[in-house]
Amino acid sequence: MKENVRDFLEKHGMARNDAYENYHMSLGYYYAYSSDAFVLAEMVEDGEVFDEREVCIIIQNLYDAHQTLLYFQEALHIQQKQFNTAETIVMSESKIEHGKVCGKIENAVKTARTWLKRFLKNSEPTFRRSPGEMREKSISRDLFLYEVAIFILYLTGEEVDYTFLERGREKNVYYG
């Protein structure tokens, strides 16, 4: 494990978690720092005054969160290509473009919550049990939609409910 990944885990209170939980948490941190970085990038483009130290910290945290996410995707044998936050995702009456939700934000949030529920219902139980089963196309699609959903929720400032991680702890069904 790279030193910056180990430091990131310690700094964010994740060092004692297993690979499954750390995948979800590092994905959340990656999107949270991405959201902050998009806001700062817009400030720079608009010629606003910004704190250079804050920008450096966010960029470093974003980099470390991404490295941590990649580490746990590999540890869990996640074969799919990660959702790229620069991608344009079109939904009914809204879209993600350039790190922003455009159009009807409430529709994007509703869609994100639907995708999150779909992942938790269809894929999360299988994903939790065996990384080898991640190769299934439907699970891969649901995981992609899960990642997009989490990004939408962070972009819109909506709460992300991670209680499903605690269910796994209670049942002791984690691996890794």
Side-chain angles (χ1 to χ4, degrees), residues 39-96:
V39 169
L40 289 171
E42 191 170 303
M43 288 174 63
V44 170
E45 285 178 12
D46 293 345
E48 293 182 40
V49 176
F50 58 92
D51 181 346
E52 290 180 22
R53 180 170 160 71
E54 178 185 9
V55 171
C56 290
I57 290 169
I58 288 173
I59 290 172
Q60 185 63 54
N61 282 331
L62 176 60
Y63 174 79
D64 291 342
H66 187 245
Q67 293 300 303
T68 304
L69 176 61
L70 293 175
Y71 176 83
F72 287 106
Q73 284 177 328
E74 184 176 322
L76 294 171
H77 309 286
I78 296 175
Q79 301 293 318
Q80 79 173 33
K81 180 182 165 207
Q82 177 184 334
F83 164 62
N84 180 346
T85 57
E87 285 182 63
T88 299
I89 304 290
V90 179
M91 298 164 276
S92 177
E93 300 184 52
S94 59
K95 64 182 175 179
I96 301 174

Side-chain angles (χ1 to χ4, degrees), residues 133-155:
E133 294 179 52
M134 283 302 301
R135 296 185 186 106
E136 293 181 32
K137 198 172 203 167
S138 63
I139 294 172
S140 183
R141 180 184 63 239
D142 286 346
L143 187 59
F144 176 81
L145 292 177
Y146 165 78
E147 290 186 359
V148 175
I150 297 297
F151 187 55
I152 290 170
L153 295 174
Y154 275 99
L155 284 178

Side-chain angles (χ1 to χ4, degrees), residues 117-133:
K117 285 178 189 172
R118 177 180 170 162
F119 170 76
L120 293 175
K121 179 183 174 204
N122 298 336
S123 301
E124 192 265 347
T126 303
F127 178 35
R128 187 187 302 262
R129 280 194 305 268
S130 170
E133 294 179 52

